[in-house]
Amino acid sequence: SYVLTQPPSVSVAPGQTARITCGGNNIGSKSVHWYQQKPGQAPVLVVYDDSDRPSGIPERFSGSNSGNTATLTISRVEAGDEADYYCQVWDSSSDRPGVFGGGTKLTVL
Amino acid sequence: EVQLVESGGGLVQPGGSLRLSCAASGFTFSSYEMNWVRQAPGKGLEWVSYISSSGSTIYYADSVKGRFTISRDNAKNSLYLQMNSLRAEDTAVYYCARVGRGYSYEFDYWGQGTLVTVSS
């Protein structure tokens, strides 16, 4: 089955730019979605189809996807962005199509 | 307003059964594909199962195949997960999640989750 690999943790100072990667074999050929999860809360979709934002998500959240790596970029990081972030794809060629990355804990220093 | 509300979680002994429900409102439930996703304590998200809008197409993760059954009742705007032969490793918060209207299966709305604890 398809595997997505994320770094366990990323740290960034307030006001700086955070980049969270999601690695997968030829992931650039797939649509990647990103979720933010704060402690005790359900996940929230922050980027879908590599780089689109749902209504209500700040423009500070953006995404890209090419080759074997997709990236979630958070600009002008705020304390409220501290959370776990998960990438996800749908592997349509599989009968177990739902795939999540292991998650990345974003710490705002 | 889209709402997904899970229920049915609780404490169950190993080998036991439990049925989770997800009540949907604020959208035309029968037009949307749905999923169950779980999260073990302190761990990441794990996709569990998918069901198409009509219920005709279903997928399961290897970890639950043969033990869990996903279903839906579009007349009742409800999604279900029948869990049998439960194991300690099934202990998790279970979320229902709606598939968005695009074609790449993003999960655009999630419920608040229901906790399942498998322990003797």
Side-chain angles (χ1 to χ4, degrees):
Chain A
S1 60
Y2 196 75
V3 176
L4 296 174
T5 302
Q6 298 182 236
S9 63
V10 168
S11 299
V12 64
Q16 300 303 303
T17 298
R19 293 178 179 86
I20 298 172
T21 59
C22 177
N25 184 35
N26 197 27
I27 195 174
S29 67
K30 301 183 181 298
S31 291
V32 179
H33 318 302
W34 292 90
Y35 303 88
Q36 176 193 69
Q37 186 181 35
K38 296 181 179 180
Q41 298 183 18
V44 173
L45 180 68
V46 292
V47 168
Y48 67 100
D49 287 352
D50 299 339
S51 59
D52 290 334
R53 280 185 313 278
S55 173
I57 301 301
E59 291 183 6
R60 300 185 298 104
F61 288 82
S62 61
S64 62
N65 184 18
S66 178
N68 292 317
T69 304
T71 303
L72 173 69
T73 301
I74 309 171
S75 304
R76 302 180 299 283
V77 166
E78 303 172 356
D81 298 332
E82 187 162 289
D84 293 324
Y85 291 85
Y86 296 89
C87 58
Q88 177 248 321
V89 300
W90 193 259
D91 185 11
S92 298
S93 65
S94 170
D95 62 355
R96 298 150 292 173
V99 183
F100 284 97
T104 299
K105 169 67 176 178
L106 176 67
T107 299
V108 181
L109 301 171
Chain B
E1 177 193 7
V2 172
Q3 284 200 326
L4 298 169
V5 179
E6 301 94 336
S7 61
L11 176 63
V12 61
Q13 292 189 338
S17 298
L18 214 53
R19 189 197 198 203
L20 305 184
S21 299
C22 171
S25 61
F27 65 102
T28 305
F29 179 71
S30 59
S31 297
Y32 285 82
E33 299 152 283
M34 299 294 296
N35 290 266
W36 287 99
V37 177
R38 70 183 180 182
Q39 186 171 36
K43 303 297 185 181
L45 301 175
E46 180 188 13
W47 172 79
V48 171
S49 184
Y50 158 93
I51 188 167
S52 62
S53 56
S54 66
S56 61
T57 301
I58 286 172
Y59 300 115
Y60 297 101
D62 286 347
S63 56
V64 307
K65 198 167 188 177
R67 301 187 299 122
F68 290 12
T69 302
I70 191 172
S71 63
R72 64 191 297 160
D73 186 336
N74 286 340
K76 294 183 177 180
N77 293 332
S78 293
L79 175 72
Y80 305 103
L81 187 68
Q82 177 67 43
M83 304 187 295
N84 298 332
S85 303
L86 283 161
R87 307 166 180 167
E89 54 265 36
D90 296 318
T91 294
V93 174
Y94 285 74
Y95 297 99
C96 61
R98 189 183 85 166
V99 175
R101 290 306 267 172
Y103 297 95
S104 50
Y105 295 85
E106 74 278 11
F107 302 160
D108 63 349
Y109 283 93
W110 298 61
Q112 86 290 345
T114 187
L115 176 62
V116 173
T117 303
V118 184
S119 175
S120 55

